[in-house]
Amino acid sequence: NKTMCEVGCAAPPFRCPAVGYGGRLLEIDLRSYSGRYLVIFFYAFNNGIVRSAMEFDDRRKDFEEASCDLLGCSIDSVLSHCAHTEGRLHFPLLGDVSCKVAKSYGMLTDTGSIQPGAFIIDDKQVLRAKLPTSEASIVLDVLHQILASRPPPRLSCKRRIDQPKNCEEKRSKCEPLFPSTTPAINSAPIQMEPVSDNSYLPRYDQCYIDFFTKPGCRLPPCSIFTSF
């Protein structure tokens, strides 16, 4: 069913037996990769594993630097995977004997074999790319393009309503609160001001020491920066 694996839609979930590094038998659940990028590549049979899976294994550090995990998939059994790889691969190979994974990703042909290809799934388990090849170098280039196109993290500046646009003007009008030139060591209780996300931020304009002007001056209100 090809409608289940369109780019921009949620990746079809699955649970499937697999073989990992050293010949360990695993049970792979797609949900366990949430929070990281994932590449699933499909290949026909284990006779083609030398060219495809071994190439991914050689480039695995490049994928790790991009915070991306790897999964291989064919309709061979996990015992066949163990016999052909001897546990040398550093990522799991799915033994999709039932062809459920291949069918849900639209990779099963009419003759019952798997066509080569690869999928890139983002950290929210959304399909970001569907490639008609399982060559590691091409998949890695597309992954880098996807990561480079991500928007930067948003930064927001929240300014109090009564804050002047120019803090220097407010600072120059600072009036002494104490007749003595000795700076006061006490300060008024810090008040809390609600913001839009229902949290509270302290108001520092009640402090009686201004290190930027004369001792004993009231500190003017300044911008409060928060990041999301």
Side-chain angles (χ1 to χ4, degrees):
N1 187 3
K2 296 184 179 181
T3 60
M4 295 180 60
C5 59
E6 297 296 332
V7 174
C9 298
F14 62 81
R15 289 178 64 91
C16 185
V19 58
Y21 181 71
R24 294 183 298 118
L25 298 181
L26 308 170
E27 183 77 13
I28 299 298
D29 190 337
L30 178 64
R31 294 175 298 180
S32 63
Y33 291 92
S34 179
R36 288 179 59 87
Y37 272 68
L38 174 67
V39 167
I40 304 179
F41 66 93
F42 292 83
Y43 61 96
F45 297 101
N46 276 332
N47 55 8
I49 197 172
V50 176
R51 180 177 173 276
S52 56
M54 296 303 294
E55 183 183 4
F56 275 100
D57 195 63
D58 293 338
R59 304 295 299 272
R60 69 182 184 277
K61 291 185 178 180
D62 296 327
F63 285 95
E64 290 175 358
E65 291 177 357
S67 300
C68 181
D69 295 317
L70 297 171
L71 275 180
C73 181
S74 76
I75 56 177
D76 298 290
S77 66
V78 292
L79 296 180
S80 178
H81 289 331
C82 290
H84 283 79
T85 66
E86 299 178 351
R88 293 173 298 171
L89 297 180
H90 294 77
F91 56 85
L93 289 178
L94 302 177
D96 188 23
V97 178
S98 64
C99 302
K100 291 182 179 179
V101 179
K103 185 180 296 184
S104 63
Y105 281 79
M107 303 302 290
L108 192 65
T109 65
D110 296 335
T111 60
S113 61
I114 289 184
Q115 58 182 353
F119 294 85
I120 299 178
I121 302 174
D122 68 10
D123 52 353
K124 296 180 176 60
Q125 307 230 304
V126 175
L127 286 174
R128 298 296 304 275
K130 178 180 179 181
L131 306 175
T133 178
S134 57
E135 294 187 16
S137 57
I138 297 178
V139 176
L140 186 61
D141 290 340
V142 176
L143 175 64
H144 286 158
Q145 293 177 20
I146 293 175
L147 295 177
S149 65
R150 291 185 302 179
R154 296 177 55 189
L155 294 177
S156 176
C157 172
K158 292 188 177 181
R159 185 173 61 87
R160 283 183 34 190
I161 297 177
D162 59 340
Q163 177 192 347
K165 295 182 179 180
N166 189 347
C167 284
E168 297 296 334
E169 297 179 1
K170 183 69 176 180
R171 213 175 263 134
S172 62
K173 299 179 181 179
C174 192
E175 298 178 0
L177 299 178
F178 305 98
S180 172
T181 58
T182 303
I185 61 174
N186 296 325
S187 63
I190 296 178
Q191 301 180 8
M192 307 299 288
E193 181 180 49
V195 293
S196 59
D197 56 357
N198 295 326
S199 61
Y200 287 83
L201 295 173
R203 293 176 54 184
Y204 293 100
D205 59 310
Q206 300 297 324
C207 296
Y208 290 158
I209 302 178
D210 185 0
F211 294 98
F212 302 99
T213 57
K214 298 179 180 180
C217 291
R218 186 185 299 274
L219 187 68
C222 293
S223 299
I224 300 172
F225 289 87
T226 59
S227 108
F228 301 99

